[in-house]
């Protein structure tokens, strides 16, 4: 776990995982428009299924604003031949004293993350306040219209795989989206990310 999440410019390596999502699921039918909207910026998607091949790309690089940045790009290869992505880039904010997760291809959403280690050695990420940025527009995104994510990741010593579980809930409407799966990792050397996983636009506001 320390090696997987120890990617950094100083460390000089990245992490690429490949495996299978045993389950990808969504909430009731009325969540479909919300999830479909997310596909335009690689944030969420409406499809569901079982045993879906996927990869997760955690590349480290220094962005144009001088910030050490780690990509969290998850690509699901669906049975219908279509691929869906979750794009995120993370930075550490000294001013806020926490990790900021920019979601989507254009970093429209900046999300505060709370990180913790569970009693069994897993890493848990909980999303907090969300801020929307687009040109001169900037506002705190109302959580009634969004979801709160919890991601848990651990290493299964017996199987020799990483185990991931993520769920998104709305505080009023309940479950919106989630997945769980297993994967193994490779650790390519280097401190730059392929253009395919970098955001199309970088947001300076946190």
């Amino acid at each position: 776990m320390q090696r997987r999440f120890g990617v950094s410019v100083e460390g000089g390596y990245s992490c690429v995982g490949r495996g299978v999502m045993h389950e990808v699921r969504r909430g009731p039918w009325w969540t479909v428009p919300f999830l479909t909207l997310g596909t335009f910026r690689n944030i969420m998607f409406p499809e569901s299924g079982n045993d879906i091949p996927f990869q997760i790309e955690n590349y480290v690089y220094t962005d144009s604003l001088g910030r050490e940045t780690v990509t969290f790009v998850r690509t699901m290869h669906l049975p219908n031949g279509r691929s869906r992505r979750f794009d995120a880039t993370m930075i550490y904010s000294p001013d806020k004293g926490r990790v900021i997760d920019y979601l989507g291809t254009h970093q429209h959403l900046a999300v505060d993350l709370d990180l913790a280690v569970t009693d069994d050695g897993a890493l848990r990420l909980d999303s907090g306040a969300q801020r929307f940025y687009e040109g001169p527009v900037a506002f705190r995104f109302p959580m009634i219209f969004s979801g709160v994510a919890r991601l848990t990741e651990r290493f299964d010593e017996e199987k020799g795989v990483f185990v991931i579980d993520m769920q998104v809930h709305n505080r009023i409407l309940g479950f919106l989206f989630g997945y769980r799966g297993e994967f193994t990792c490779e650790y390519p050397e280097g401190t730059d990310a392929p253009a395919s996983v970098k955001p199309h636009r970088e947001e300076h506001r946190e």
Side-chain angles (χ1 to χ4, degrees), residues 64-119:
S64 64
L65 300 170
R67 304 175 300 189
E68 184 171 5
T69 305
V70 179
T71 69
F72 275 75
V73 174
R74 290 138 289 180
T75 304
M76 313 284 180
H77 303 289
L78 302 175
N80 60 9
R82 175 179 292 172
S83 293
R84 293 293 199 189
R85 282 177 40 159
F86 294 98
D87 286 17
T89 42
M90 294 186 185
I91 66 163
Y92 177 75
S93 169
D95 292 338
K96 293 180 177 292
R98 65 169 65 244
V99 173
I100 305 296
D101 190 14
Y102 289 104
L103 301 183
T105 56
H106 291 67
Q107 295 191 341
H108 286 310
L109 280 175
V111 181
D112 292 344
L113 292 184
D114 291 320
L115 284 69
V117 177
T118 64
D119 292 339

Side-chain angles (χ1 to χ4, degrees), residues 28 38 49 58-59 76 104 110 112 115 126 134 136-137 145-146 174 196 198:
N58 301 123
Y59 284 98
M76 313 284 180
D112 292 344
L115 284 69
D126 291 306
E134 172 57 36
V137 178
F145 299 118
S146 187
S196 60
K198 291 182 178 180

Side-chain angles (χ1 to χ4, degrees), residues 22-54:
H22 298 307
E23 181 182 43
V24 176
R25 62 193 183 100
R26 60 169 174 80
W29 63 268
W30 45 262
T31 64
V32 172
F34 171 77
L35 298 174
T36 300
L37 186 63
T39 65
F40 292 98
R41 289 292 184 264
N42 288 353
I43 297 177
M44 285 190 289
F45 58 84
E47 290 89 351
S48 59
N50 300 103
D51 299 326
I52 296 174
F54 83 102

Side-chain angles (χ1 to χ4, degrees), residues 111-172:
V111 181
D112 292 344
L113 292 184
D114 291 320
L115 284 69
V117 177
T118 64
D119 292 339
D120 62 354
L123 178 67
R124 188 180 69 217
L125 286 75
D126 291 306
S127 67
Q130 301 179 10
R131 295 165 296 281
F132 180 87
Y133 299 124
E134 172 57 36
V137 178
F139 60 88
R140 183 161 176 163
F141 203 86
M143 296 308 296
I144 192 173
F145 299 118
S146 187
V148 176
R150 166 166 288 187
L151 183 147
T152 304
E153 191 172 312
R154 62 182 177 85
F155 187 72
D156 188 314
E157 297 283 354
E158 293 185 2
K159 292 183 177 181
V161 297
F162 292 93
V163 179
I164 189 169
D165 184 283
M166 193 277 291
Q167 296 189 31
V168 180
H169 290 80
N170 179 277
R171 292 171 180 169
I172 296 176

